[in-house]
Amino acid sequence: VAGLLYGVGVGPGDPELLTLRAARIIREAPVIAVPVTQADGDSYALGVVAPLITPEQRVLSLHFPMVKDTAARRAYRQAAAAAIASELDAGYDVAFLTEGDPLLHSTFIYVLEHLPAGTALEIVPGVTSIAAATAQAALPLVSGNQRLAVLPATFENVDELRGILGAFDTVVLLKFARVFDRLLDLLCELHLDRTSVVVERASHPAGRVVRDLEGLRGRPIHYLSLLIVQGGRERAGEVRA
Ligand SMILES: C[S@@+](CC[C@H](N)C(=O)[O-])C[C@H]1O[C@@H](n2cnc3c(N)ncnc32)[C@H](O)[C@@H]1O
């Protein structure tokens, strides 16, 4: 009998935010698959659950380097899916760990795209980085008829980003660390810098909430940070009025 693939969200970092189901599956699965960006690199998700793993379990590191070339990226994803499929074919259950939730901007989604049709699958949702960040900042995300957008902050199209900031009440920008200074310029231009907040490493003991965004200019920002911009739609309405 083929094994079952679990896509397991381990939450944002604090092991107390792991669900009971995730903990049980991680304890029971013979194979723990983890995405790494460097061939010999560490996995953040594995670090979160390290105390649950025993020497009898095998850890399968799957290499997902951050390369620009789309054909190369695809080849790595296919190789990862093939490695998982061969464990499943051999009858082993595999728990694929992801930080946060497995279906929100996660490597697991790429694996899913390349798995053979009919692969037996169970997804274990996780506390997202967005939920952890808003909790840490005690910041209501959206309410009533407000609108929420979530997007990676690639700076390929600034005009499009400007439009999105003006169309939503709350915009959550992921993966923004490398373009922060340019983003801050845009927020200042739109008078949204004071209603924005950066949450770095939400739920981690070294995590922090930063409301004075100017203080971050030119400084290194941890990759595990997100930026929440609020009031853009209202502001755009005032400008139009
Ligand atoms: C590939 S996405 C992973 C999202 C994840 N699957 C989730 O459910 O939150 C990585 C981005 O999520 C955000 N992120 C992940 N963990 C975070 C944390 N603990 N604190 C703040 N942002 C985090 C950062 O913007 C980071 O660049």
Side-chain angles (χ1 to χ4, degrees), residues 15-51:
E16 280 201 349
L17 293 176
L18 196 66
T19 64
L20 295 175
R21 185 181 299 177
R24 176 179 58 76
I25 286 165
I26 291 164
R27 278 202 197 91
E28 290 174 359
V31 179
I32 305 292
V34 292
V36 293
T37 48
Q38 282 164 6
D40 55 354
D42 289 337
S43 150
Y44 182 78
L46 185 61
V48 174
V49 303

PDB file of all heavy atoms in Angstrom, residues 15-51:
ATOM      1  N   PRO A  15       6.821  26.978  19.137  1.00  0.00           N
ATOM      2  CA  PRO A  15       6.289  25.605  19.148  1.00  0.00           C
ATOM      3  C   PRO A  15       4.928  25.503  19.823  1.00  0.00           C
ATOM      4  O   PRO A  15       4.168  24.579  19.542  1.00  0.00           O
ATOM      5  CB  PRO A  15       7.351  24.812  19.930  1.00  0.00           C
ATOM      6  CG  PRO A  15       8.586  25.652  19.867  1.00  0.00           C
ATOM      7  CD  PRO A  15       8.152  27.078  19.754  1.00  0.00           C
ATOM      8  N   GLU A  16       4.577  26.439  20.689  1.00  0.00           N
ATOM      9  CA  GLU A  16       3.242  26.389  21.303  1.00  0.00           C
ATOM     10  C   GLU A  16       2.142  26.663  20.293  1.00  0.00           C
ATOM     11  O   GLU A  16       0.965  26.435  20.575  1.00  0.00           O
ATOM     12  CB  GLU A  16       3.136  27.421  22.438  1.00  0.00           C
ATOM     13  CG  GLU A  16       3.758  26.944  23.718  1.00  0.00           C
ATOM     14  CD  GLU A  16       3.212  27.693  24.923  1.00  0.00           C
ATOM     15  OE1 GLU A  16       2.510  28.703  24.760  1.00  0.00           O
ATOM     16  OE2 GLU A  16       3.525  27.245  26.031  1.00  0.00           O
ATOM     17  N   LEU A  17       2.502  27.172  19.128  1.00  0.00           N
ATOM     18  CA  LEU A  17       1.488  27.449  18.103  1.00  0.00           C
ATOM     19  C   LEU A  17       1.372  26.314  17.084  1.00  0.00           C
ATOM     20  O   LEU A  17       0.735  26.456  16.052  1.00  0.00           O
ATOM     21  CB  LEU A  17       1.795  28.782  17.413  1.00  0.00           C
ATOM     22  CG  LEU A  17       1.653  30.001  18.328  1.00  0.00           C
ATOM     23  CD1 LEU A  17       2.066  31.277  17.612  1.00  0.00           C
ATOM     24  CD2 LEU A  17       0.233  30.137  18.857  1.00  0.00           C
ATOM     25  N   LEU A  18       1.975  25.200  17.425  1.00  0.00           N
ATOM     26  CA  LEU A  18       1.809  23.988  16.623  1.00  0.00           C
ATOM     27  C   LEU A  18       0.461  23.372  17.020  1.00  0.00           C
ATOM     28  O   LEU A  18       0.136  23.344  18.205  1.00  0.00           O
ATOM     29  CB  LEU A  18       2.938  23.047  17.043  1.00  0.00           C
ATOM     30  CG  LEU A  18       3.296  21.853  16.194  1.00  0.00           C
ATOM     31  CD1 LEU A  18       3.867  22.316  14.862  1.00  0.00           C
ATOM     32  CD2 LEU A  18       4.334  21.011  16.942  1.00  0.00           C
ATOM     33  N   THR A  19      -0.302  22.870  16.042  1.00  0.00           N
ATOM     34  CA  THR A  19      -1.576  22.245  16.432  1.00  0.00           C
ATOM     35  C   THR A  19      -1.306  20.845  17.002  1.00  0.00           C
ATOM     36  O   THR A  19      -0.268  20.228  16.727  1.00  0.00           O
ATOM     37  CB  THR A  19      -2.537  22.115  15.232  1.00  0.00           C
ATOM     38  OG1 THR A  19      -1.947  21.223  14.284  1.00  0.00           O
ATOM     39  CG2 THR A  19      -2.815  23.460  14.584  1.00  0.00           C
ATOM     40  N   LEU A  20      -2.278  20.352  17.759  1.00  0.00           N
ATOM     41  CA  LEU A  20      -2.140  19.002  18.328  1.00  0.00           C
ATOM     42  C   LEU A  20      -2.042  17.975  17.212  1.00  0.00           C
ATOM     43  O   LEU A  20      -1.298  17.008  17.295  1.00  0.00           O
ATOM     44  CB  LEU A  20      -3.345  18.693  19.228  1.00  0.00           C
ATOM     45  CG  LEU A  20      -3.472  19.577  20.474  1.00  0.00           C
ATOM     46  CD1 LEU A  20      -4.763  19.246  21.212  1.00  0.00           C
ATOM     47  CD2 LEU A  20      -2.280  19.388  21.396  1.00  0.00           C
ATOM     48  N   ARG A  21      -2.792  18.210  16.133  1.00  0.00           N
ATOM     49  CA  ARG A  21      -2.761  17.241  15.025  1.00  0.00           C
ATOM     50  C   ARG A  21      -1.387  17.236  14.344  1.00  0.00           C
ATOM     51  O   ARG A  21      -0.844  16.188  14.020  1.00  0.00           O
ATOM     52  CB  ARG A  21      -3.854  17.548  14.001  1.00  0.00           C
ATOM     53  CG  ARG A  21      -3.898  16.464  12.932  1.00  0.00           C
ATOM     54  CD  ARG A  21      -4.933  16.711  11.881  1.00  0.00           C
ATOM     55  NE  ARG A  21      -6.263  16.752  12.431  1.00  0.00           N
ATOM     56  CZ  ARG A  21      -7.360  17.016  11.714  1.00  0.00           C
ATOM     57  NH1 ARG A  21      -7.255  17.248  10.431  1.00  0.00           N
ATOM     58  NH2 ARG A  21      -8.534  17.048  12.275  1.00  0.00           N
ATOM     59  N   ALA A  22      -0.857  18.436  14.142  1.00  0.00           N
ATOM     60  CA  ALA A  22       0.475  18.511  13.517  1.00  0.00           C
ATOM     61  C   ALA A  22       1.492  17.761  14.382  1.00  0.00           C
ATOM     62  O   ALA A  22       2.292  16.964  13.873  1.00  0.00           O
ATOM     63  CB  ALA A  22       0.891  19.974  13.344  1.00  0.00           C
ATOM     64  N   ALA A  23       1.430  17.975  15.687  1.00  0.00           N
ATOM     65  CA  ALA A  23       2.391  17.319  16.579  1.00  0.00           C
ATOM     66  C   ALA A  23       2.254  15.799  16.493  1.00  0.00           C
ATOM     67  O   ALA A  23       3.255  15.081  16.407  1.00  0.00           O
ATOM     68  CB  ALA A  23       2.179  17.800  18.009  1.00  0.00           C
ATOM     69  N   ARG A  24       1.026  15.312  16.469  1.00  0.00           N
ATOM     70  CA  ARG A  24       0.835  13.853  16.401  1.00  0.00           C
ATOM     71  C   ARG A  24       1.390  13.292  15.093  1.00  0.00           C
ATOM     72  O   ARG A  24       2.128  12.305  15.086  1.00  0.00           O
ATOM     73  CB  ARG A  24      -0.665  13.517  16.522  1.00  0.00           C
ATOM     74  CG  ARG A  24      -0.942  12.028  16.355  1.00  0.00           C
ATOM     75  CD  ARG A  24      -2.402  11.652  16.500  1.00  0.00           C
ATOM     76  NE  ARG A  24      -3.306  12.303  15.581  1.00  0.00           N
ATOM     77  CZ  ARG A  24      -3.440  11.987  14.287  1.00  0.00           C
ATOM     78  NH1 ARG A  24      -2.679  11.042  13.747  1.00  0.00           N
ATOM     79  NH2 ARG A  24      -4.303  12.622  13.517  1.00  0.00           N
ATOM     80  N   ILE A  25       1.080  13.951  13.993  1.00  0.00           N
ATOM     81  CA  ILE A  25       1.520  13.419  12.697  1.00  0.00           C
ATOM     82  C   ILE A  25       3.049  13.473  12.587  1.00  0.00           C
ATOM     83  O   ILE A  25       3.684  12.549  12.083  1.00  0.00           O
ATOM     84  CB  ILE A  25       0.810  14.188  11.558  1.00  0.00           C
ATOM     85  CG1 ILE A  25      -0.643  13.722  11.518  1.00  0.00           C
ATOM     86  CG2 ILE A  25       1.493  13.976  10.214  1.00  0.00           C
ATOM     87  CD1 ILE A  25      -1.563  14.591  10.730  1.00  0.00           C
ATOM     88  N   ILE A  26       3.620  14.535  13.100  1.00  0.00           N
ATOM     89  CA  ILE A  26       5.087  14.656  13.037  1.00  0.00           C
ATOM     90  C   ILE A  26       5.738  13.554  13.889  1.00  0.00           C
ATOM     91  O   ILE A  26       6.737  12.971  13.505  1.00  0.00           O
ATOM     92  CB  ILE A  26       5.533  16.068  13.484  1.00  0.00           C
ATOM     93  CG1 ILE A  26       5.094  17.086  12.430  1.00  0.00           C
ATOM     94  CG2 ILE A  26       7.036  16.130  13.718  1.00  0.00           C
ATOM     95  CD1 ILE A  26       5.109  18.525  12.891  1.00  0.00           C
ATOM     96  N   ARG A  27       5.141  13.230  15.015  1.00  0.00           N
ATOM     97  CA  ARG A  27       5.687  12.148  15.853  1.00  0.00           C
ATOM     98  C   ARG A  27       5.574  10.790  15.157  1.00  0.00           C
ATOM     99  O   ARG A  27       6.426   9.942  15.302  1.00  0.00           O
ATOM    100  CB  ARG A  27       4.925  12.064  17.174  1.00  0.00           C
ATOM    101  CG  ARG A  27       5.404  13.049  18.189  1.00  0.00           C
ATOM    102  CD  ARG A  27       5.036  12.585  19.605  1.00  0.00           C
ATOM    103  NE  ARG A  27       5.137  13.716  20.492  1.00  0.00           N
ATOM    104  CZ  ARG A  27       4.131  14.543  20.768  1.00  0.00           C
ATOM    105  NH1 ARG A  27       2.945  14.338  20.235  1.00  0.00           N
ATOM    106  NH2 ARG A  27       4.316  15.558  21.556  1.00  0.00           N
ATOM    107  N   GLU A  28       4.481  10.609  14.406  1.00  0.00           N
ATOM    108  CA  GLU A  28       4.193   9.272  13.866  1.00  0.00           C
ATOM    109  C   GLU A  28       4.796   9.014  12.488  1.00  0.00           C
ATOM    110  O   GLU A  28       5.009   7.861  12.126  1.00  0.00           O
ATOM    111  CB  GLU A  28       2.667   9.079  13.774  1.00  0.00           C
ATOM    112  CG  GLU A  28       2.013   8.960  15.140  1.00  0.00           C
ATOM    113  CD  GLU A  28       0.484   8.908  15.083  1.00  0.00           C
ATOM    114  OE1 GLU A  28      -0.097   8.987  13.975  1.00  0.00           O
ATOM    115  OE2 GLU A  28      -0.115   8.812  16.163  1.00  0.00           O
ATOM    116  N   ALA A  29       5.053  10.044  11.709  1.00  0.00           N
ATOM    117  CA  ALA A  29       5.469   9.811  10.311  1.00  0.00           C
ATOM    118  C   ALA A  29       6.892   9.236  10.262  1.00  0.00           C
ATOM    119  O   ALA A  29       7.791   9.764  10.909  1.00  0.00           O
ATOM    120  CB  ALA A  29       5.413  11.122   9.532  1.00  0.00           C
ATOM    121  N   PRO A  30       7.105   8.176   9.487  1.00  0.00           N
ATOM    122  CA  PRO A  30       8.463   7.624   9.389  1.00  0.00           C
ATOM    123  C   PRO A  30       9.417   8.541   8.633  1.00  0.00           C
ATOM    124  O   PRO A  30      10.626   8.509   8.850  1.00  0.00           O
ATOM    125  CB  PRO A  30       8.267   6.298   8.642  1.00  0.00           C
ATOM    126  CG  PRO A  30       6.935   6.412   7.971  1.00  0.00           C
ATOM    127  CD  PRO A  30       6.104   7.364   8.764  1.00  0.00           C
ATOM    128  N   VAL A  31       8.868   9.360   7.738  1.00  0.00           N
ATOM    129  CA  VAL A  31       9.720  10.260   6.949  1.00  0.00           C
ATOM    130  C   VAL A  31       9.236  11.698   7.125  1.00  0.00           C
ATOM    131  O   VAL A  31       8.047  11.990   6.952  1.00  0.00           O
ATOM    132  CB  VAL A  31       9.701   9.889   5.436  1.00  0.00           C
ATOM    133  CG1 VAL A  31      10.564  10.850   4.639  1.00  0.00           C
ATOM    134  CG2 VAL A  31      10.155   8.451   5.228  1.00  0.00           C
ATOM    135  N   ILE A  32      10.175  12.575   7.463  1.00  0.00           N
ATOM    136  CA  ILE A  32       9.872  13.996   7.619  1.00  0.00           C
ATOM    137  C   ILE A  32      10.565  14.722   6.466  1.00  0.00           C
ATOM    138  O   ILE A  32      11.799  14.691   6.361  1.00  0.00           O
ATOM    139  CB  ILE A  32      10.439  14.535   8.962  1.00  0.00           C
ATOM    140  CG1 ILE A  32       9.935  13.717  10.162  1.00  0.00           C
ATOM    141  CG2 ILE A  32      10.120  16.019   9.123  1.00  0.00           C
ATOM    142  CD1 ILE A  32       8.460  13.847  10.448  1.00  0.00           C
ATOM    143  N   ALA A  33       9.777  15.329   5.587  1.00  0.00           N
ATOM    144  CA  ALA A  33      10.366  16.051   4.453  1.00  0.00           C
ATOM    145  C   ALA A  33      10.413  17.538   4.775  1.00  0.00           C
ATOM    146  O   ALA A  33       9.435  18.097   5.291  1.00  0.00           O
ATOM    147  CB  ALA A  33       9.533  15.814   3.192  1.00  0.00           C
ATOM    148  N   VAL A  34      11.570  18.147   4.493  1.00  0.00           N
ATOM    149  CA  VAL A  34      11.700  19.576   4.791  1.00  0.00           C
ATOM    150  C   VAL A  34      12.316  20.307   3.600  1.00  0.00           C
ATOM    151  O   VAL A  34      13.260  19.831   2.986  1.00  0.00           O
ATOM    152  CB  VAL A  34      12.572  19.830   6.053  1.00  0.00           C
ATOM    153  CG1 VAL A  34      11.874  19.326   7.298  1.00  0.00           C
ATOM    154  CG2 VAL A  34      13.950  19.230   5.931  1.00  0.00           C
ATOM    155  N   PRO A  35      11.757  21.473   3.269  1.00  0.00           N
ATOM    156  CA  PRO A  35      12.353  22.265   2.195  1.00  0.00           C
ATOM    157  C   PRO A  35      13.550  23.055   2.730  1.00  0.00           C
ATOM    158  O   PRO A  35      13.482  23.616   3.823  1.00  0.00           O
ATOM    159  CB  PRO A  35      11.214  23.213   1.796  1.00  0.00           C
ATOM    160  CG  PRO A  35      10.333  23.315   3.006  1.00  0.00           C
ATOM    161  CD  PRO A  35      10.537  22.078   3.828  1.00  0.00           C
ATOM    162  N   VAL A  36      14.636  23.072   1.952  1.00  0.00           N
ATOM    163  CA  VAL A  36      15.794  23.902   2.316  1.00  0.00           C
ATOM    164  C   VAL A  36      16.193  24.724   1.091  1.00  0.00           C
ATOM    165  O   VAL A  36      16.059  24.270  -0.041  1.00  0.00           O
ATOM    166  CB  VAL A  36      17.005  23.057   2.811  1.00  0.00           C
ATOM    167  CG1 VAL A  36      16.690  22.368   4.136  1.00  0.00           C
ATOM    168  CG2 VAL A  36      17.434  22.027   1.775  1.00  0.00           C
ATOM    169  N   THR A  37      16.672  25.943   1.335  1.00  0.00           N
ATOM    170  CA  THR A  37      17.062  26.771   0.191  1.00  0.00           C
ATOM    171  C   THR A  37      18.520  26.535  -0.193  1.00  0.00           C
ATOM    172  O   THR A  37      18.916  26.802  -1.321  1.00  0.00           O
ATOM    173  CB  THR A  37      16.851  28.272   0.490  1.00  0.00           C
ATOM    174  OG1 THR A  37      17.416  28.559   1.758  1.00  0.00           O
ATOM    175  CG2 THR A  37      15.390  28.640   0.483  1.00  0.00           C
ATOM    176  N   GLN A  38      19.320  26.013   0.746  1.00  0.00           N
ATOM    177  CA  GLN A  38      20.702  25.638   0.408  1.00  0.00           C
ATOM    178  C   GLN A  38      20.850  24.145   0.651  1.00  0.00           C
ATOM    179  O   GLN A  38      20.287  23.621   1.627  1.00  0.00           O
ATOM    180  CB  GLN A  38      21.682  26.404   1.279  1.00  0.00           C
ATOM    181  CG  GLN A  38      21.845  27.815   0.776  1.00  0.00           C
ATOM    182  CD  GLN A  38      22.487  28.735   1.778  1.00  0.00           C
ATOM    183  OE1 GLN A  38      22.919  28.299   2.829  1.00  0.00           O
ATOM    184  NE2 GLN A  38      22.519  29.994   1.446  1.00  0.00           N
ATOM    185  N   ALA A  39      21.622  23.485  -0.227  1.00  0.00           N
ATOM    186  CA  ALA A  39      21.690  22.021  -0.193  1.00  0.00           C
ATOM    187  C   ALA A  39      22.003  21.495   1.214  1.00  0.00           C
ATOM    188  O   ALA A  39      21.429  20.510   1.654  1.00  0.00           O
ATOM    189  CB  ALA A  39      22.711  21.534  -1.201  1.00  0.00           C
ATOM    190  N   ASP A  40      22.910  22.171   1.929  1.00  0.00           N
ATOM    191  CA  ASP A  40      23.267  21.674   3.267  1.00  0.00           C
ATOM    192  C   ASP A  40      22.685  22.597   4.348  1.00  0.00           C
ATOM    193  O   ASP A  40      23.153  22.627   5.482  1.00  0.00           O
ATOM    194  CB  ASP A  40      24.793  21.578   3.400  1.00  0.00           C
ATOM    195  CG  ASP A  40      25.448  22.924   3.091  1.00  0.00           C
ATOM    196  OD1 ASP A  40      24.718  23.854   2.669  1.00  0.00           O
ATOM    197  OD2 ASP A  40      26.667  23.049   3.282  1.00  0.00           O
ATOM    198  N   GLY A  41      21.661  23.362   3.962  1.00  0.00           N
ATOM    199  CA  GLY A  41      21.142  24.386   4.880  1.00  0.00           C
ATOM    200  C   GLY A  41      20.145  23.840   5.894  1.00  0.00           C
ATOM    201  O   GLY A  41      19.684  22.704   5.807  1.00  0.00           O
ATOM    202  N   ASP A  42      19.845  24.694   6.878  1.00  0.00           N
ATOM    203  CA  ASP A  42      18.880  24.323   7.912  1.00  0.00           C
ATOM    204  C   ASP A  42      17.469  24.604   7.420  1.00  0.00           C
ATOM    205  O   ASP A  42      17.254  25.416   6.538  1.00  0.00           O
ATOM    206  CB  ASP A  42      19.099  25.187   9.162  1.00  0.00           C
ATOM    207  CG  ASP A  42      20.386  24.796   9.848  1.00  0.00           C
ATOM    208  OD1 ASP A  42      20.830  23.660   9.642  1.00  0.00           O
ATOM    209  OD2 ASP A  42      20.942  25.645  10.574  1.00  0.00           O
ATOM    210  N   SER A  43      16.517  23.934   8.070  1.00  0.00           N
ATOM    211  CA  SER A  43      15.118  24.209   7.781  1.00  0.00           C
ATOM    212  C   SER A  43      14.499  24.869   9.006  1.00  0.00           C
ATOM    213  O   SER A  43      14.594  24.346  10.121  1.00  0.00           O
ATOM    214  CB  SER A  43      14.394  22.900   7.455  1.00  0.00           C
ATOM    215  OG  SER A  43      13.033  22.994   7.833  1.00  0.00           O
ATOM    216  N   TYR A  44      13.877  26.016   8.773  1.00  0.00           N
ATOM    217  CA  TYR A  44      13.222  26.738   9.866  1.00  0.00           C
ATOM    218  C   TYR A  44      12.100  25.874  10.458  1.00  0.00           C
ATOM    219  O   TYR A  44      11.981  25.734  11.676  1.00  0.00           O
ATOM    220  CB  TYR A  44      12.648  28.036   9.303  1.00  0.00           C
ATOM    221  CG  TYR A  44      11.981  28.927  10.323  1.00  0.00           C
ATOM    222  CD1 TYR A  44      12.737  29.725  11.176  1.00  0.00           C
ATOM    223  CD2 TYR A  44      10.599  28.989  10.415  1.00  0.00           C
ATOM    224  CE1 TYR A  44      12.119  30.554  12.107  1.00  0.00           C
ATOM    225  CE2 TYR A  44       9.982  29.814  11.345  1.00  0.00           C
ATOM    226  CZ  TYR A  44      10.749  30.601  12.184  1.00  0.00           C
ATOM    227  OH  TYR A  44      10.147  31.412  13.100  1.00  0.00           O
ATOM    228  N   ALA A  45      11.316  25.262   9.568  1.00  0.00           N
ATOM    229  CA  ALA A  45      10.183  24.455  10.039  1.00  0.00           C
ATOM    230  C   ALA A  45      10.674  23.272  10.876  1.00  0.00           C
ATOM    231  O   ALA A  45      10.074  22.929  11.902  1.00  0.00           O
ATOM    232  CB  ALA A  45       9.367  23.962   8.841  1.00  0.00           C
ATOM    233  N   LEU A  46      11.778  22.662  10.457  1.00  0.00           N
ATOM    234  CA  LEU A  46      12.307  21.523  11.217  1.00  0.00           C
ATOM    235  C   LEU A  46      12.769  21.980  12.601  1.00  0.00           C
ATOM    236  O   LEU A  46      12.567  21.289  13.597  1.00  0.00           O
ATOM    237  CB  LEU A  46      13.463  20.874  10.448  1.00  0.00           C
ATOM    238  CG  LEU A  46      14.037  19.590  11.056  1.00  0.00           C
ATOM    239  CD1 LEU A  46      12.973  18.493  11.145  1.00  0.00           C
ATOM    240  CD2 LEU A  46      15.232  19.082  10.250  1.00  0.00           C
ATOM    241  N   GLY A  47      13.369  23.165  12.646  1.00  0.00           N
ATOM    242  CA  GLY A  47      13.814  23.713  13.930  1.00  0.00           C
ATOM    243  C   GLY A  47      12.655  23.860  14.909  1.00  0.00           C
ATOM    244  O   GLY A  47      12.792  23.596  16.104  1.00  0.00           O
ATOM    245  N   VAL A  48      11.498  24.235  14.385  1.00  0.00           N
ATOM    246  CA  VAL A  48      10.327  24.449  15.247  1.00  0.00           C
ATOM    247  C   VAL A  48       9.909  23.140  15.934  1.00  0.00           C
ATOM    248  O   VAL A  48       9.508  23.135  17.092  1.00  0.00           O
ATOM    249  CB  VAL A  48       9.143  25.023  14.427  1.00  0.00           C
ATOM    250  CG1 VAL A  48       7.882  25.125  15.267  1.00  0.00           C
ATOM    251  CG2 VAL A  48       9.514  26.370  13.825  1.00  0.00           C
ATOM    252  N   VAL A  49      10.039  22.027  15.190  1.00  0.00           N
ATOM    253  CA  VAL A  49       9.517  20.759  15.728  1.00  0.00           C
ATOM    254  C   VAL A  49      10.620  19.789  16.145  1.00  0.00           C
ATOM    255  O   VAL A  49      10.344  18.630  16.470  1.00  0.00           O
ATOM    256  CB  VAL A  49       8.581  20.065  14.697  1.00  0.00           C
ATOM    257  CG1 VAL A  49       7.445  20.990  14.317  1.00  0.00           C
ATOM    258  CG2 VAL A  49       9.345  19.633  13.453  1.00  0.00           C
ATOM    259  N   ALA A  50      11.865  20.256  16.148  1.00  0.00           N
ATOM    260  CA  ALA A  50      13.004  19.370  16.431  1.00  0.00           C
ATOM    261  C   ALA A  50      12.800  18.494  17.673  1.00  0.00           C
ATOM    262  O   ALA A  50      13.110  17.293  17.626  1.00  0.00           O
ATOM    263  CB  ALA A  50      14.286  20.190  16.545  1.00  0.00           C
ATOM    264  N   PRO A  51      12.257  19.023  18.789  1.00  0.00           N
ATOM    265  CA  PRO A  51      12.117  18.168  19.969  1.00  0.00           C
ATOM    266  C   PRO A  51      11.172  16.976  19.772  1.00  0.00           C
ATOM    267  O   PRO A  51      11.206  16.037  20.559  1.00  0.00           O
ATOM    268  CB  PRO A  51      11.543  19.120  21.040  1.00  0.00           C
ATOM    269  CG  PRO A  51      11.828  20.493  20.545  1.00  0.00           C
ATOM    270  CD  PRO A  51      11.844  20.407  19.060  1.00  0.00           C
TER     271      PRO A  51
END
